[in-house]
Amino acid sequence: MSKNNSSSSRIPKRRYKEELERLQVELVEMQQWVARSGARVLVIFEGRDAAGKGGVIKRIMEHLNPRHARTVALTKPSKRERGQWYYQRYFERLPTKGEIVLFDRSWYNRAGVERVMGYCSDAQYQTFLRQTPTIEHLLMEDGIILLKYWFSVSDEEQQARFERRLNDPVRRWKLSPTDLESITRWEDYSRAKDAMFAATDTRESPWWTVESDDKRSARLNTISHLLSSIPYRHLEWEDVSIPDRPAADDYERPPVEQFSSVPDVAAELAHNK
């Protein structure tokens, strides 16, 4: 079903950038607390294809220290992984102390694409729905901060985004046969999502829905909620002073011609304005 989204209510680009920058500064502050406190943060991003998950993850990660934050986006399981306990390959990538991990899709593949496309049996699916609330309870009981976001996009906006990807050479890779088949299986995915929510949207580990037809709003709303859900506090940065550069001694740099250099194609472009 389509959603009404008036372009007149869209956040102006300048205001969006200002607020995004403010939130990204807060994300850096939050990560500083996570790293020092030893907290473990796991954030799951789910939703239909082209719902905007990747754009939000990109803005969250943009200025974070990659030593303490990473994104997990797994490909389809290998033959070996298909023989493992279903959750195993995901659990191998859970956060350690002082780390933030963002799952760009997660074990919930079993409740979505695997269910709709017939990649798992009905018994495997039912087992997943039954086990997942218990699994997530155990993760949280062990101290992991777990957040789950569902990005909700309308059929019309999804179609428009697919068409833009088709004509954009840098985003063409985002289109796969499975993505395109999701258009004809819209109601199947809707039913699968409803069943997933019914089984796994618990008081302890709720699903947080993000209306994502407007990408700017979705990014700001998600980051703001993420920050409000982490019990971090402001920490003072360690004092750092930049030393004065010592006077040059008798060192002489070897001639540049001795080394291989990257061709300066930028200079050629500058001359051919």
Side-chain angles (χ1 to χ4, degrees):
M1 183 178 293
S2 302
K3 302 173 188 175
N4 293 322
N5 184 31
S6 173
S7 59
S8 62
S9 62
R10 196 177 190 208
I11 304 169
K13 189 173 184 179
R14 180 186 60 80
R15 184 72 185 96
Y16 160 72
K17 287 188 173 182
E18 291 173 348
E19 181 63 9
L20 179 61
E21 182 178 4
R22 186 189 71 80
L23 291 172
Q24 288 177 324
V25 170
E26 284 295 314
L27 283 170
V28 172
E29 293 273 356
M30 182 267 283
Q31 185 187 41
Q32 184 79 349
W33 173 83
V34 169
R36 290 197 196 175
S37 68
R40 291 172 291 164
V41 178
L42 175 63
V43 189
I44 288 175
F45 295 83
E46 294 286 348
R48 295 180 186 272
D49 299 309
K53 303 180 296 298
V56 173
I57 292 172
K58 179 180 178 180
R59 272 70 185 182
I60 292 173
M61 291 291 295
E62 191 168 8
H63 300 295
L64 296 185
N65 184 343
R67 292 188 179 92
H68 302 289
R70 56 188 167 90
T71 300
V72 175
L74 300 183
T75 58
K76 65 180 181 181
S78 65
K79 181 178 180 180
R80 175 180 174 79
E81 289 171 332
R82 288 195 297 272
Q84 296 174 344
W85 181 45
Y86 175 70
Y87 299 91
Q88 186 169 334
R89 70 183 189 135
Y90 297 103
F91 282 14
E92 290 173 351
R93 295 163 172 86
L94 291 175
T96 189
K97 290 178 63 176
E99 190 176 35
I100 301 168
V101 174
L102 311 182
F103 272 18
D104 185 354
R105 297 200 182 281
S106 65
W107 47 79
Y108 281 101
N109 275 335
R110 175 137 294 177
V113 64
E114 290 191 21
R115 173 62 170 173
V116 172
M117 301 299 292
Y119 297 155
C120 67
S121 68
D122 187 63
Q124 290 173 322
Y125 169 72
Q126 295 298 336
T127 297
F128 172 83
L129 293 183
R130 186 177 66 256
Q131 289 183 343
T132 296
T134 301
I135 292 292
E136 293 177 357
H137 168 75
L138 293 174
L139 294 178
M140 299 174 75
E141 187 177 52
D142 197 60
I144 290 178
I145 299 172
L146 172 62
L147 291 166
K148 303 185 302 191
Y149 291 108
W150 174 267
F151 287 75
S152 179
V153 65
S154 67
D155 50 357
E156 289 182 354
E157 180 60 23
Q158 184 194 53
Q159 183 87 12
R161 291 177 184 177
F162 280 158
E163 292 173 358
R164 288 195 292 272
R165 288 179 179 182
L166 183 63
N167 297 309
D168 186 343
V170 300
R171 293 192 293 174
R172 182 66 176 77
W173 63 270
K174 292 186 175 184
L175 281 179
S176 70
T178 302
D179 295 334
L180 297 177
E181 190 163 353
S182 68
I183 297 174
T184 61
R185 293 177 175 264
W186 181 271
E187 291 188 357
D188 292 336
Y189 274 100
S190 294
R191 294 188 185 95
K193 177 258 184 181
D194 292 343
M196 180 183 79
F197 268 44
T200 64
D201 182 24
T202 65
R203 179 174 297 181
E204 181 184 31
S205 178
W207 279 103
W208 296 99
T209 299
V210 180
E211 298 295 340
S212 61
D213 273 13
D214 184 332
K215 290 184 177 182
R216 293 177 189 172
S217 295
R219 292 165 186 170
L220 298 182
N221 291 340
T222 305
I223 297 174
S224 178
H225 183 271
L226 171 62
L227 288 167
S228 71
S229 303
I230 308 296
Y232 71 100
R233 58 186 179 84
H234 172 77
L235 299 176
E236 295 297 330
W237 292 89
E238 296 179 4
D239 289 335
V240 176
S241 59
I242 300 176
D244 295 331
R245 189 178 299 278
D249 54 20
D250 57 354
Y251 169 77
E252 291 187 12
R253 182 179 179 182
V256 174
E257 294 76 15
Q258 291 185 10
F259 307 101
S260 300
S261 297
V262 173
D264 192 357
V265 296
E268 295 178 17
L269 294 173
H271 289 309
N272 297 320
K273 289 193 268 187

